[in-house]
Amino acid sequence: MTSDNFDIAIIGSGIAGGALAAALKASGLTVLLLDRRSGPLDTARGDHIQPAMQPVLSRWGVLDLLLEAGAEARTGTRWFDAEGAHIVTVPVPQRDDCAGAFLFLNHEKIADILLGSAQEAGAVNITGVSDWLLERLAGSWRIEWQAEGRPRAATCTMLVAADGTASTVRSRLNIGLDRHRYQYPIAVLYGRQQSATEPRTLDVYLAHERMVSLIPRTGGETKVGFPVSPEDIAFWKTESEESLHRRLAEWCPGVSFESLAFGAIYPPVSQQSASYQGEGAFALIGDARHAMHPARSMGMNTCFRVADQLAESLSGLKSGFSEAQVLPLLSEFEARFAQELTPRLAENHAAGLQMDTIAGSGFIALKTQLRSAAEDTRILNAMALKAAGLTV
Ligand SMILES: Cc1cc2nc3c(=O)[nH]c(=O)nc-3n(C[C@H](O)[C@H](O)[C@H](O)COP(=O)(O)OP(=O)(O)OC[C@H]3O[C@@H](n4cnc5c(N)ncnc54)[C@H](O)[C@@H]3O)c2cc1C
């Protein structure tokens, strides 16, 4: 079996793996991506790109590609109470260091664009990989796998795991994990609203007992997300379209849909992995490292942020670098992660807990906070900066 050599091998070519490969495009480093999937990523995931992340994507040379693929702009987040009365709109900050709007494009298209752009710059992307084995050699890693029915192998100086929440690499390398499972799964429906705003907004309804988010999708579609009790899952999967309309009309007064269909159920988790303490050059990124509750549109955006930080840490390396050269850079990356990411994860967890209810009692505390924001521009501006990804 022949074995190719790469500077960096990334296991998992989802958003995080694709983002890192795109971020490394101009580095001159050789990159191999390996993934077990052979189809597209699950679409019902992160698809809104924060204003603060767009200059980063522009630097990687993918922002224009996202726009060409049909990415659309949305303005702020509108909050409504259970009666459908508008509480406040959190705007998008208008500043030089970030875009003037969120951008949205379906999740699997974002992943395809990141990967396509990295491949064009020379990254090797192999999908449909199975039975892979990982071995430490002196100063490098060796990976063996099966693809298209034949055994293959490669060596790399640095290994990156970006294989998602249930990371196999993380468990094989015995990396510790701190995990919180939220009580209520999130149901996702897809539909088309009768009169969506133009430009689009993200709308959140504080129904009496749960928070319901209406999230714009391209082409005038809407993704609806809300927590459900495990006992209600069968209802959402089997109910007629008419009763889905009725239920949403109760929760989001004044909103009506032309069409509505069940999409999927997701059990949200938040988790943070420890940093790797073993031998060799290794980094864990994406949901494998920092899975987040879908609240606040942060998971995918955090993948971009961390990929950019890792690429920046490696920016002084030339192709053919040694393990001894990369190890101190990885220590710096880990120190920055601990300092900058830990507060973001904590903030997201707090938002996840706030949303993790189907007995919200009208969300009195949250409504009070939103009403204060409506009356005080300093509070509103602070919320806008956080939503845009400019502050924690
Ligand atoms: C319902 C839902 C809504 C969300 N909404 C938002 C949002 O609005 N905004 C936002 O920013 N984020 C959101 N997120 C989070 C965001 O989607 C994730 O943070 C992001 O997709 C994680 O990317 P990843 O590359 O780490 O993982 P993944 O996208 O899961 O990719 C992991 C890749 O690794 C591969 N893989 C897995 N195991 C192996 C293995 N053993 N060998 C080889 N390959 C393997 C998989 O095939 C996959 O391609 C949401 C998530 C969910 C579930």
Side-chain angles (χ1 to χ4, degrees):
M1 188 183 357
T2 56
S3 166
D4 296 321
N5 184 53
F6 292 85
D7 293 315
I8 299 178
I10 306 171
I11 298 188
S13 60
I15 291 287
L20 179 61
L24 289 170
K25 263 168 43 178
S27 67
L29 305 179
T30 53
V31 174
L32 168 69
L33 291 137
L34 295 173
D35 201 297
R36 69 178 174 196
R37 76 187 158 92
S38 30
L41 281 176
D42 182 350
T43 193
R45 306 190 78 194
D47 37 25
H48 284 236
I49 301 168
Q50 287 175 310
M53 286 299 110
Q54 292 169 50
V56 171
L57 297 179
S58 173
R59 215 170 353 93
W60 300 351
V62 295
L63 191 64
D64 287 345
L65 301 174
L66 294 166
L67 291 166
E68 279 163 27
E72 295 177 31
R74 83 153 161 91
T75 55
T77 304
R78 302 191 302 172
W79 291 84
F80 297 88
D81 68 14
E83 282 67 49
H86 175 252
I87 307 172
V88 68
T89 297
V90 179
V92 176
Q94 300 300 309
R95 302 184 356 166
D96 291 343
D97 57 352
C98 73
F102 286 78
L103 261 196
F104 60 97
L105 184 65
N106 299 354
H107 187 75
E108 69 284 13
K109 283 197 180 171
I110 299 176
D112 286 350
I113 287 168
L114 291 167
L115 283 175
S117 143
Q119 279 176 270
E120 217 163 86
V124 176
N125 181 27
I126 302 178
T127 53
V129 164
S130 65
D131 302 323
W132 53 264
L133 296 169
L134 204 53
E135 190 190 350
R136 274 290 298 153
L137 305 176
S140 64
W141 300 87
R142 178 179 161 84
I143 314 165
E144 286 182 22
W145 69 91
Q146 295 279 335
E148 295 171 342
R150 49 190 190 93
R152 297 178 65 176
T155 54
C156 63
T157 310
M158 176 176 156
L159 179 70
V160 177
D163 55 341
T165 317
S167 171
T168 308
V169 184
R170 185 184 60 218
S171 38
R172 288 202 195 165
L173 295 180
N174 295 318
I175 300 172
L177 181 66
D178 188 8
R179 174 182 285 154
H180 177 86
R181 287 186 193 283
Y182 297 92
Q183 196 177 349
Y184 295 104
I186 302 288
V188 173
L189 312 181
Y190 292 105
R192 182 174 275 275
Q193 280 173 252
Q194 235 140 28
S195 49
T197 53
E198 199 49 60
R200 307 241 7 224
T201 52
L202 172 65
D203 295 343
V204 186
Y205 283 77
L206 300 175
H208 284 294
E209 80 285 17
R210 75 192 79 205
M211 205 182 281
V212 183
S213 305
L214 306 184
I215 304 159
R217 302 259 294 168
T218 52
E221 301 278 323
T222 296
K223 176 169 77 174
V224 186
F226 50 87
V228 291
S229 73
E231 303 78 57
D232 272 356
I233 289 175
F235 167 88
W236 290 104
K237 285 186 170 168
T238 56
E239 253 338 90
S240 66
E241 184 175 347
E242 202 188 324
S243 79
L244 300 183
H245 283 275
R246 256 200 317 273
R247 192 62 77 94
L248 275 194
E250 279 166 27
W251 288 338
C252 312
V255 177
S256 51
F257 283 81
E258 281 169 23
S259 60
L260 207 47
F262 173 76
I265 299 279
Y266 295 92
V269 293
S270 86
Q271 63 185 33
Q272 186 172 356
S273 304
S275 59
Y276 177 61
Q277 301 297 332
E279 220 184 275
F282 174 79
L284 190 61
I285 62 168
D287 278 10
R289 182 70 189 268
H290 50 72
M292 295 162 117
H293 191 280
R296 302 285 189 276
S297 300
M298 277 173 66
M300 177 182 67
N301 287 286
T302 306
C303 290
F304 297 151
R305 189 180 291 275
V306 172
D308 197 51
Q309 289 177 354
L310 181 52
E312 196 184 320
S313 301
L314 305 178
S315 61
L317 294 173
K318 295 216 163 25
S319 186
F321 65 81
S322 69
E323 199 168 85
Q325 284 172 308
V326 69
L327 284 173
L329 306 180
L330 287 176
S331 301
E332 280 168 29
F333 164 73
E334 291 297 342
R336 188 170 174 194
F337 184 97
Q339 195 187 349
E340 291 184 21
L341 264 298
T342 307
R344 286 180 191 277
L345 298 176
E347 194 276 332
N348 180 263
H349 180 47
L353 289 174
Q354 195 174 46
M355 192 177 165
D356 189 27
T357 178
I358 54 163
S361 305
F363 297 94
I364 293 162
L366 178 56
K367 274 196 301 208
T368 308
Q369 191 193 341
L370 292 167
R371 287 198 176 110
S372 323
E375 284 158 17
D376 185 333
T377 45
R378 275 174 318 159
I379 301 176
L380 192 59
N381 288 343
M383 288 174 77
L385 292 176
K386 197 192 276 188
L390 289 160
T391 57
V392 179

